[in-house]
Amino acid sequence: MTTHTTRMLILGSGPAGLSAAIYGARAGLNPIVVQGIQPGGQLTTTTDVENYPGFAEVIQGPWLMEQMQAQAEHVGTRMMYDTIVEVDVSQRPFRLIGDGGDVYEGDVLVIATGAQARWLGLESEESLKGKGVSACATCDGFFYRGKKVAVIGGGNTAVEEALYLTNHSPDVTIIHRRDSFRAEKILQERLFAHDAVNVLWNKKVERFIDGGGNAGLVGIELKDTVTGELSQIDVDGGFVAIGHHPATELFRGHVELDEDGYIVVEKGSTRTNVPGVFACGDVTDKVYRQAVTAAGTGCMAALDAERFLAEADFEKIAEAAE
């Protein structure tokens, strides 16, 4: 068992965690990033990225995360390939334990563990991810300009995704397994008033249909939840919009979470209810969930942490002088 100590300990290695690391390293805090179960975060499973500022051409998600990690390491970040299984934030330095027994101690902790989209769990869904099947209309809707698309779900996320997709597609279908939406009424009213949207009630997805070769998704096979009847629709893009799982189970009972499991931070900051513990990226964000917003809050977390340490150091000096 090895103990690794640092002034700034960061859990998570997506855009939020690596941005925090870059700013923390440049401030001389010698951060350690514990990469977690998915090094690089969700962008490592994304192919074409067209909406991250600074790149005129389409880039690949894994390449972007490789560059962020290289930048973080270049300025002095230590990357640890480990998965945390136990946390103690009851006193400083905060203490995290990896699944191999290594201990990580930090004077401040930045939580950037992200969130994962909920999927339907179909084999055909897995094989067509990035080939017509997506869980983020804001990320990928642009690639379906003028094409037929479908959204699966019935909550706020699904209705918002469908409305967003009308900016690109003249033919948007929502597939919902029940006969009414759970979404807020005002969103439903906007949806039903839109000529480009069609709703298929009482339908569940049985299979995403692969056109073979480089065709990708060409249709969706549906099953009626009342009659059991099978049907099929032709689509170019399918967007699964049934919510997200914030990766916060490890922190339940240690920091304040909201009713959906997201970490609660002070408005306009990344401070949690535990002094010295900060949270950034999708683990706090149920609205935007974009790489660029995650990176922005990662910067905020590093600046908040730096200020916290400066104040704590000043207090120690003042106490010693008394």
Side-chain angles (χ1 to χ4, degrees):
M1 184 182 76
T2 304
T3 298
H4 309 274
T5 60
T6 177
R7 297 223 73 194
M8 177 185 283
L9 182 58
I10 301 168
L11 183 54
S13 55
L18 292 179
S19 295
I22 290 165
Y23 275 80
R26 295 185 74 250
L29 300 179
N30 300 312
I32 287 177
V33 171
V34 183
Q35 296 213 329
I37 199 166
Q38 188 180 39
Q42 292 186 73
L43 273 182
T44 58
T45 63
T46 302
T47 51
D48 293 347
V49 175
E50 202 170 37
N51 57 2
Y52 198 87
F55 302 95
E57 303 295 331
V58 175
I59 58 173
Q60 299 299 299
W63 176 85
L64 178 60
M65 297 318 302
E66 287 172 7
Q67 293 299 302
M68 282 193 188
Q69 178 174 328
Q71 184 179 4
E73 290 176 314
H74 177 73
V75 291
T77 300
R78 285 182 285 167
M79 307 296 298
M80 298 293 181
Y81 297 89
D82 204 347
T83 301
I84 299 302
V85 295
E86 187 178 333
V87 302
D88 181 2
V89 295
S90 61
Q91 59 184 355
R92 296 175 58 229
F94 304 120
R95 181 181 172 92
L96 279 61
I97 301 175
D99 61 2
D102 278 14
V103 176
Y104 302 88
E105 293 184 342
D107 293 330
V108 292
L109 172 64
V110 175
I111 304 169
T113 46
Q116 296 290 329
R118 290 189 175 100
W119 294 93
L120 299 172
L122 301 172
E123 185 177 326
S124 58
E125 173 186 64
E126 186 65 33
S127 65
L128 283 168
K129 283 180 184 177
K131 301 175 184 176
V133 176
S134 170
C136 181
T138 313
C139 310
D140 299 327
F142 185 74
F143 298 113
Y144 298 92
R145 297 183 303 277
K147 298 182 178 181
K148 295 178 65 173
V149 297
V151 176
I152 298 96
N156 283 354
T157 300
V159 173
E160 288 169 350
E161 298 266 272
L163 287 168
Y164 173 81
L165 285 166
T166 61
N167 295 317
H168 304 294
S169 170
D171 190 338
V172 180
T173 298
I174 293 193
I175 300 164
H176 187 37
R177 61 186 302 147
R178 298 183 177 86
D179 60 2
S180 62
F181 288 131
R182 302 185 311 278
E184 296 171 3
K185 292 299 181 184
I186 190 168
L187 288 174
Q188 294 189 43
E189 290 170 4
R190 287 174 56 201
L191 183 83
F192 294 139
H194 209 295
D195 293 338
V197 180
N198 174 49
V199 181
L200 295 179
W201 302 109
N202 298 316
K203 297 287 191 294
K204 61 176 285 192
V205 175
E206 286 286 288
R207 179 171 63 99
F208 291 98
I209 302 169
D210 191 337
N214 295 322
L217 180 71
V218 295
I220 301 176
E221 183 179 301
L222 304 172
K223 183 176 184 178
D224 193 291
T225 57
V226 177
T227 67
E229 180 184 356
L230 294 176
S231 60
Q232 183 176 316
I233 61 170
D234 297 330
V235 294
D236 302 293
F239 293 86
V240 180
I242 55 176
H244 288 74
H245 295 287
T248 55
E249 195 58 39
L250 192 63
F251 295 97
R252 191 171 296 279
H254 298 284
V255 299
E256 184 183 357
L257 308 179
D258 70 11
E259 66 276 8
D260 297 314
Y262 289 83
I263 295 177
V264 176
V265 293
E266 291 180 26
K267 188 174 182 179
S269 85
T270 61
R271 292 186 292 271
T272 70
N273 66 313
V274 179
V277 177
F278 307 88
C280 56
D282 287 6
V283 80
T284 70
D285 176 16
K286 63 178 75 174
V287 178
Y288 302 105
R289 295 193 295 263
Q290 299 299 301
V292 67
T293 52
T297 58
C299 163
M300 291 168 59
L303 297 177
D304 286 342
E306 183 186 357
R307 292 190 188 104
F308 175 87
L309 288 171
E311 290 170 5
D313 290 345
F314 177 79
E315 289 173 3
K316 280 185 181 179
I317 294 169
E319 288 174 4
E322 290 179 355

